[in-house]
Amino acid sequence: ERRLAPDLISYNAAVKACERGEAWEHALSLFAGMRHHGCAPDLITCSVLTTACASGRRWQMAVDLLKEMKESGFPRSVSLLTTVIQACEAEGQDQQVKLLLDELRFVGLEHLQGEDDEDDGLR
């Protein structure tokens, strides 16, 4: 009997379904299974999982995933940082909010610099 192994696309779809269904525990389980089976997560996987944790009021997990994304070389986005900041604010994590706001300022400036560079190429 042949069995199909899940791939990155199927894992991402399942993690997204968990995020939409507010099932962050299942999303984390899928993430662990994904790694166990040798399927490397991508930016989509990490972003959706981080959002699922933030929405599930698991601010520390969301922060840890942001750190892991940064260490893996994934780009940080203003919208993802904002989601995690809001989760930290909701849980009264003022110190973490301050740290993330500093990172948000940096990412926002990087983003604006990138837009300026693109505009220069159009002139």
Side-chain angles (χ1 to χ4, degrees), residues 104-121:
L104 180 63
R105 285 183 195 98
F106 179 75
V107 169
L109 290 174
E110 276 184 336
H111 179 72
L112 290 175
Q113 180 62 42
E115 286 180 359
D116 288 346
D117 291 346
E118 289 173 13
D119 290 343
D120 289 344

Side-chain angles (χ1 to χ4, degrees), residues 28-71:
L28 285 173
S29 178
L30 285 166
F31 187 63
M34 178 180 196
R35 289 179 158 177
H36 177 75
H37 289 101
C39 187
D42 66 358
L43 179 60
I44 294 169
T45 315
C46 294
S47 295
V48 171
L49 188 60
T50 302
T51 301
C53 289
S55 299
R57 300 180 67 166
R58 298 299 184 246
W59 68 270
Q60 185 61 60
M61 287 181 197
V63 169
D64 290 346
L65 284 163
L66 274 179
K67 288 178 187 173
E68 188 174 327
M69 288 174 69
K70 185 176 180 180
E71 290 167 2

